[in-house]
Amino acid sequence: MKIGQVLLFVVPVVALVAGGWSLLANRQSRDVQLGQQLYQENCASCHGANLEGQANWKTPDENGILPAPPHDETGHTWHHGDRLLFEYTKLGGAAALKKAGIDDFNSGMPGFGDVLSDQEIRQTLAYIKSKWPEKLQSLQEQSTKSEAQSNS
């Protein structure tokens, strides 16, 4: 095979791969931007405009309900895999925990399944995750992988 023939094959393949990565990066960036808007509209009133959560979020109120936790690196959101985060957001805390076999936790988190589409929930979570340091993003990805393996 001549060099010209090789280049005719290699150059388009490299361009397709590079273009694919570029499209993926653009898509992820767009998801994060849309997620930020969705977060501000649906989550910030409880979890804070800057993901800071409510004061004393580790201490239950008089009804035994914990205040909304932070979604930044100071909270625990990054400890959980994507499936749990998605279900917690879509179904609400009590329903998601019950589905996971936890009946004795009184969660104040409402479900957003009637307000947000599945894609919008994913975009909102993409925004939240984008605000974490890389190390925490990596740890959360590991939780997601472990979660997927335990459900296989």
Side-chain angles (χ1 to χ4, degrees):
M1 195 179 266
K2 295 182 181 179
I3 267 217
Q5 291 173 319
V6 170
L7 289 177
L8 284 175
F9 174 75
V10 171
V11 170
V13 169
V14 169
L16 281 173
V17 170
W21 282 113
S22 177
L23 288 174
L24 178 61
N26 287 340
R27 169 71 191 256
Q28 290 172 337
S29 175
R30 184 167 180 252
D31 282 349
V32 168
Q33 289 173 344
L34 293 170
Q36 181 177 13
Q37 179 181 343
L38 291 164
Y39 177 88
Q40 294 304 325
E41 293 169 0
N42 297 283
C43 312
S45 61
C46 293
H47 292 280
N50 296 309
L51 293 89
E52 71 273 14
Q54 294 177 342
N56 302 313
W57 64 274
K58 293 180 182 179
T59 305
D61 66 14
E62 62 278 355
N63 298 315
I65 298 174
L66 291 169
H71 288 314
D72 62 13
E73 69 275 3
T74 67
H76 61 82
T77 307
W78 58 270
H79 294 173
H80 304 295
D82 286 349
R83 183 182 51 79
L84 179 62
L85 296 177
F86 178 85
E87 289 179 353
Y88 213 88
T89 306
K90 182 172 182 160
L91 305 175
L97 292 171
K98 185 173 185 168
K99 188 174 178 181
I102 301 168
D103 291 321
D104 61 349
F105 186 82
N106 194 5
S107 173
M109 172 72 175
F112 284 84
D114 293 335
V115 177
L116 300 172
S117 70
D118 289 0
Q119 182 63 24
E120 289 172 326
I121 292 171
R122 287 186 193 95
Q123 290 167 330
T124 303
L125 293 171
Y127 164 68
I128 292 169
K129 293 192 291 184
S130 77
K131 304 308 276 179
W132 300 333
E134 284 185 36
K135 173 127 176 102
L136 297 186
Q137 289 180 30
S138 264
L139 290 170
Q140 194 274 333
E141 286 175 19
Q142 289 301 317
S143 293
T144 297
K145 288 176 184 174
S146 295
E147 180 182 72
Q149 289 172 349
S150 69
N151 289 323
S152 299

